[in-house]
Amino acid sequence: MTQDLIDGFMEAIPLPAVLVDQSERFIAANAAATTLLGANLVGRHFATILRQPNVATAIESCLYERSAKTARHLSNDGAQDTTFEVALRYIPGIGAVNGGAALISLTDITDREQASQMRRDFVANVSHELRTPLTALMGFIETLRGPARDDAPARDRFLTIMQGEANRMNRLVGDLLSLNRVESEERVRPREQLDLGAHLASTLKSLEPVAEAADVQLILEIPEEATLVTGDPDQLQQVFTNLVENAIKYGGDQVTLRLRTRDRDPAVRAAAVRVEVIDNGTGIDPVHLPRLTERFYRVDTHRSREQGGTGLGLAIVKHIINRHRGRMRVESSAATGTVFTVILPR
């Protein structure tokens, strides 16, 4: 087989691929492989490029045993760790003295690995979040059936705590179901037209009792004319209810809900509306900002649980905004408080 024919076959492979013959040197590489592993591969010993012991062992075994092998190659693309699945197949009759060569192809499975890790983390987090209230409930039930059976004041106190823990589990299950529903609909664009200003006014009205209980002033700033957007009314109400509730719980003594329109917004590269939820609290440390929308991530775990938070609210908000093809921005400082900005295309 001529080198031109070998090179032609290599370029026809859609994955990064190289050939290593019995001299343990690269005899061919396609363009995808040179992009991944570097230029001028041909003629170099494979160990100078593929240094990881499991990959080197797989190559040597493939050449010696003349059989298929697999391995895993770990790398870094400059932004994150990457994982490649390495498949090796023996090809007879080519290479040095026609002694055969190993065809090595690399498949990027980073997304698959990350998704698998996310599932494991999600299950672990849910288990942890449910175990705490369940353990409390079991302990109080045991106490009520034993030492506190005839102690009326203790029984009332324990039942109040048990109700709080049961409510916490109910909120968590409700948020998990809501997150699952939002994720399943994320690729389906909403089609209903609604007046966003009126929608925000209604949302703020429903939160007045919560604000009064926390001694927080609510301010609404919306244009006089109707602001029409395409969206899911229930999901958008969920977004702004969550953001305003968070501002009431963790902000200062004033929360402003401001609606503005733009003929062209660079965030969505089209006409858009911006809804800002502004508080005058102590702000959020910048180190937390990139992770705010992660599931179960909390800036202050103890305070969040005391306030009834499940750690899923902003994750739900993110998925809803994604479904509406919008964006969310967060700005925060100790001097001015925190601003959550939701950008929706018009």
Side-chain angles (χ1 to χ4, degrees), residues 286-299 311 314-315:
V287 72
H288 298 293
L289 297 182
R291 302 188 60 189
L292 284 180
T293 57
E294 290 182 16
R295 299 171 185 181
F296 297 109
Y297 186 81
R298 295 179 172 96
V299 174
L314 289 178

Side-chain angles (χ1 to χ4, degrees), residues 301-315:
T301 301
H302 180 69
R303 185 180 177 193
S304 173
R305 285 178 176 155
E306 276 190 344
Q307 296 280 5
T310 63
L312 292 172
L314 289 178

Side-chain angles (χ1 to χ4, degrees), residues 16 39 55 77 107 116 152 160 188 193 200 208 266 271 282 285 329 346:
V55 178
D77 62 5
T107 304
S116 178
T160 300
V188 181
Q193 286 276 319
L200 294 177
E208 283 181 354
T282 55
D285 193 314
R329 302 283 185 267
R346 282 199 292 156

